[in-house]
């Protein structure tokens, strides 16, 4: 029996060592790094062999290797991820703006699944899910311990099938079930309208393959309706990001030609890039410039960019570029701080690796990572303030987050104090009878930040924030 186990262990060692040797050689070729140390390879192979031979029931070898890869990548940072066949397909669907599911952007918090924002018009949006809701169960499965990938798998499915989500809403201190019927999510990433004569509002909820074309179409429609726009609000609140080329294109629509939009820096030569406001940096296919039909007036129209804690990645690139070039006034709340670049590398026809390869820097050279964009003017969510803003998660709060690369991170005692005060307010709120606290829909006359943005464009007084505390911002100078 012992000899059998020994043989099994050596077979496993050979299999795993062979795989890792290939990976090591590829690593050497790609980044001129030293091969992985033999001792650690032997330990991994030994564990593989022991699990294969000693575990209480047979374990599939392919699953073991897949899980080992997933664990290795998950240990890097919150955004690197190994894609198996199904998750790779779902990822690719997400970038096109079409998939079957409930329609929410999610993250993890305290082992639970957190709603970053429901996609506008989706089944989750219609069911009343809100940002910061926590999903505790998906059907009969508790989500604690599930990875984001596993949670997404359980919420996706066939069209017209139902999924039961158990929701914990912290600001109301209650748990309740929501049954949602899955459907194909055709995310409309661009909305816009003339708010009043002379002033327009255009909202981007995500940066997808169709976003640039839809953005151009909507801007053209608005200028046809009102050719003499005196001001425009670009609304990036709760925009979780998406495709880099789409962010570069939207920035380029407002910026002078060939100025820097964003730079990236990482280990590989291909990760050291400068993206400029020129067609070659945002055209997805050969052909004409997708921005060619935009009115020339768009380059000079007074512009306000609205952001909040849910604005991340690509939306931070746009806000940072327009702010650094003094093309727009950025208003709202400090953004999420997701300033890292993920590159998707196929591992075969059906699997892939999403791995962090670089950091994003604004045109002035400031790292977005774990810092975010600090608005020129801080604005609350309502006239009463944003009493729970300090409790909202940012990149810097995520476990294993990548540092900014520009000096050590220091906990801001003012923010910690604000969080303590917010927690106390939340506890007091929890003692009250549960009441619906509906957030006004973006783009309406009750949208307080939008009203303040319009006031700014008109030169009227703006009600600046009463409650917000800046995270890690010792040097920035703010108008308010």
């Amino acid at each position: 029996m012992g000899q059998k186990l020994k043989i099994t262990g050596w077979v496993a060692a050979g299999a795993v060592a062979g795989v890792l040797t290939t990976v090591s050689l590829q690593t050497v070729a790609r980044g001129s790094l030293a091969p992985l140390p033999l001792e650690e390879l032997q330990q991994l192979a030994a564990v593989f062999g022991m699990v294969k031979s000693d575990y209480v029931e047979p374990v599939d070898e392919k699953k073991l290797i897949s899980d080992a890869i997933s664990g290795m990548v998950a240990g890097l940072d919150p955004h690197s991820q190994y894609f198996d066949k199904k998750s790779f397909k779902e990822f690719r669907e997400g970038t096109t703006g079409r998939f079957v599911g409930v329609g929410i952007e999610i993250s993890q918090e305290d082992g639970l699944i957190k709603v970053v924002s429901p996609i506008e018009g989706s089944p989750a949006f219609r069911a009343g899910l809100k940002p910061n809701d926590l999903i505790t169960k998906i059907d009969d499965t508790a989500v604690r311990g599930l990875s984001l990938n596993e949670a997404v798998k359980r919420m996706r499915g066939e069209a017209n099938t139902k999924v039961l989500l158990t929701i914990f809403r912290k600001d109301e201190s209650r748990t309740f079930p929501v049954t949602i019927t899955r459907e194909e999510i055709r995310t409309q990433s661009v909305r816009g309208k003339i708010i009043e004569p002379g002033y327009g509002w255009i909202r981007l909820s995500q940066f997808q393959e169709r976003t640039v074309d839809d953005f151009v179409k909507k801007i053209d429609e608005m200028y046809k309706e009102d050719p003499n726009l005196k001001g425009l609000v670009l609304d990036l609140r709760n925009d979780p990001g998406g495709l880099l080329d789409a962010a570069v294109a939207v920035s380029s629509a407002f910026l002078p030609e060939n100025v820097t939009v964003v730079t990236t820096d990482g280990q590989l030569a291909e990760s050291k890039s400068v993206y400029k406001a020129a067609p070659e940096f945002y055209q997805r296919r050969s052909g004409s410039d997708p921005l060619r039909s935009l009115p020339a007036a768009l380059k000079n129209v007074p512009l306000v960019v609205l952001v909040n804690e849910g604005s991340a990645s690509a939306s931070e690139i746009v806000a940072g570029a327009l702010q650094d070039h003094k093309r727009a006034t950025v208003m709202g709340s400090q953004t999420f701080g997701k300033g890292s670049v993920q590159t998707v590398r196929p591992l075969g026809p059906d699997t892939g690796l999403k791995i962090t390869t670089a950091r994003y820097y604004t045109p002035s050279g400031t790292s977005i990572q774990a810092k975010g964009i600090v608005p020129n003017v801080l604005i609350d969510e309502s006239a009463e303030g944003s009493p729970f803003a300090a409790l909202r998660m940012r990149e810097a709060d995520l476990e294993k987050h990548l540092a900014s690369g520009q000096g050590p991170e220091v906990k801001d005692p003012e923010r910690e104090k604000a969080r303590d005060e917010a927690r106390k307010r939340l506890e007091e709120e929890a003692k009250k009878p549960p009441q619906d606290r509906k957030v006004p829909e973006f783009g309406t006359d009750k949208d307080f930040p939008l009203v303040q943005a319009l006031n700014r464009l008109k030169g009227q007084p703006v009600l600046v924030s009463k409650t917000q505390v800046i995270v890690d911002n010792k040097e920035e100078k703010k108008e308010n």
Side-chain angles (χ1 to χ4, degrees):
M1 182 67 174
Q3 181 66 20
K4 181 179 179 182
L5 292 180
K6 183 177 180 180
I7 292 172
T8 303
W10 278 113
V11 169
V16 176
V19 171
L20 291 178
T21 299
T22 302
V23 173
S24 177
L25 290 173
Q26 290 175 344
T27 303
V28 173
R30 179 177 288 277
S32 297
L33 302 177
L36 294 172
L38 181 59
E39 183 179 348
E40 279 71 17
L41 280 173
Q42 290 173 333
Q43 288 180 349
L44 177 58
V47 171
F48 181 90
M50 289 177 191
V51 173
K52 179 69 177 170
S53 61
D54 297 6
Y55 190 64
V56 64
E57 58 186 29
V59 181
D60 181 76
E61 286 183 351
K62 291 183 178 180
K63 184 178 184 303
L64 277 180
I65 294 174
S66 177
D67 289 347
I69 296 172
S70 296
M72 175 171 59
V73 176
L76 296 173
D77 62 61
H79 307 295
S80 295
Q81 182 182 351
Y82 168 68
F83 292 123
D84 60 16
K85 183 176 181 179
K86 184 176 180 182
S87 59
F88 199 28
K89 177 176 179 289
E90 290 167 348
F91 172 78
R92 287 181 291 194
E93 287 174 346
T95 61
T96 64
R98 298 178 61 179
F99 59 91
V100 174
V102 300
I104 51 174
E105 299 290 339
I106 62 174
S107 65
Q108 278 189 306
E109 180 177 313
D110 297 329
L112 301 177
I113 303 301
K114 178 182 177 180
V115 177
V116 175
S117 65
I119 296 172
E120 293 177 18
S122 69
F125 183 86
R126 297 196 300 270
L129 267 61
K130 298 180 179 180
N132 299 314
D133 281 348
L134 294 176
I135 301 172
T136 59
K137 291 177 69 176
I138 302 172
D139 290 324
D140 295 325
T141 302
V143 303
R144 190 174 293 278
L146 291 182
S147 67
L148 277 177
N149 189 29
E150 291 169 329
V152 168
K153 284 182 181 179
R154 292 180 181 275
M155 285 187 280
R156 296 259 177 111
E158 298 297 323
N160 299 317
T161 60
K162 296 182 184 297
V163 60
L164 175 64
L165 303 181
T166 303
I167 305 296
F168 174 62
R169 185 162 290 165
K170 288 192 291 187
D171 62 352
E172 297 176 8
S173 191
R174 68 186 181 105
T175 299
F176 55 94
V178 177
T179 299
I180 300 177
T181 301
R182 300 179 180 96
E183 62 183 49
E184 181 173 274
I185 308 299
R186 295 172 178 260
T187 55
Q188 182 61 43
S189 64
V190 180
R191 295 167 56 201
K193 62 182 178 180
I194 301 298
I195 296 288
E196 58 183 75
Y199 297 95
W201 169 77
I202 186 161
R203 168 162 171 73
L204 307 186
S205 58
Q206 199 169 1
F207 289 86
Q208 302 170 340
E209 288 183 1
R210 302 197 314 265
T211 296
V212 177
D213 291 338
D214 290 347
F215 170 80
V216 170
K217 180 180 178 182
K218 183 57 67 176
I219 289 289
D220 286 341
E221 288 175 357
M222 291 167 65
Y223 267 91
K224 284 179 182 177
E225 182 178 347
D226 192 339
N228 301 308
L229 281 181
K230 295 181 287 186
L232 184 66
V233 178
L234 176 62
D235 192 345
L236 302 178
R237 287 174 293 175
N238 290 342
D239 183 331
L243 300 175
L244 173 59
D245 54 6
V248 174
V250 170
S251 302
S252 301
F254 298 101
L255 292 172
E257 190 174 359
N258 286 320
V259 301
T260 297
V261 173
V262 66
T263 61
T264 63
D265 189 32
Q267 285 199 79
L268 299 174
E270 64 196 61
S271 297
K272 303 177 189 298
S273 301
V274 178
Y275 295 85
K276 297 187 176 183
E280 58 264 34
F281 293 96
Y282 55 76
Q283 282 183 232
R284 296 188 63 84
R285 303 173 186 85
S286 58
S288 57
D289 180 1
L291 306 184
R292 68 191 182 282
S293 71
L294 287 174
L298 191 65
K299 294 285 186 181
N300 299 304
V301 66
L303 182 65
V304 167
V305 179
L306 281 180
V307 295
N308 64 4
E309 300 89 349
S311 305
S313 193
S315 55
E316 294 177 289
I317 289 172
V318 175
L322 297 177
Q323 183 184 60
D324 276 9
H325 287 295
K326 296 180 170 51
R327 176 61 185 88
T329 300
V330 178
M331 298 177 66
S333 309
Q334 186 171 358
T335 61
F336 186 79
K338 198 262 180 191
S340 58
V341 183
Q342 281 69 50
T343 302
V344 179
R345 303 195 188 282
L347 297 175
D350 301 315
T351 59
L353 178 67
K354 182 176 72 168
I355 186 168
T356 301
T357 53
R359 292 180 177 89
Y360 286 125
Y361 298 84
T362 68
S364 65
T366 302
S367 173
I368 295 173
Q369 176 60 21
K371 291 184 176 182
I373 303 299
V374 179
N376 300 100
V377 183
L378 291 169
I379 298 296
D380 285 324
E381 292 178 349
S382 68
E384 291 73 38
S386 303
F388 306 116
L391 295 178
R392 291 180 185 139
M393 294 283 287
R394 289 186 170 88
E395 176 79 10
D397 300 314
L398 298 179
E399 188 178 354
K400 300 176 183 176
H401 71 270
L402 188 69
S404 70
Q406 294 182 335
E409 291 183 21
V410 179
K411 281 195 173 183
D412 187 345
E414 290 298 318
R415 188 185 184 211
E416 294 304 313
K417 179 181 177 183
R419 280 185 159 183
D420 289 339
E421 292 173 353
R423 289 188 188 99
K424 291 176 183 177
R425 286 194 294 267
L426 188 58
E427 289 171 0
E428 290 300 316
E429 287 291 316
K431 296 175 184 178
K432 300 177 182 179
Q435 295 179 351
D436 290 333
R437 300 181 181 90
K438 293 185 178 180
V439 178
E441 184 181 353
F442 291 162
T444 67
D445 58 358
K446 295 181 180 179
D447 184 345
F448 180 78
L450 176 57
V451 171
Q452 302 314 306
L454 291 172
N455 287 344
R456 171 77 184 198
L457 290 169
K458 297 173 184 176
Q460 297 176 357
V462 172
L463 295 178
V464 300
S465 174
K466 303 173 182 178
T467 60
Q468 296 188 53
V469 176
I470 298 302
V471 182
D472 188 22
N473 183 52
K474 306 297 183 185
E475 301 175 358
E476 297 270 357
K477 293 181 180 179
K478 294 290 153 270
E479 293 183 19
N480 54 317

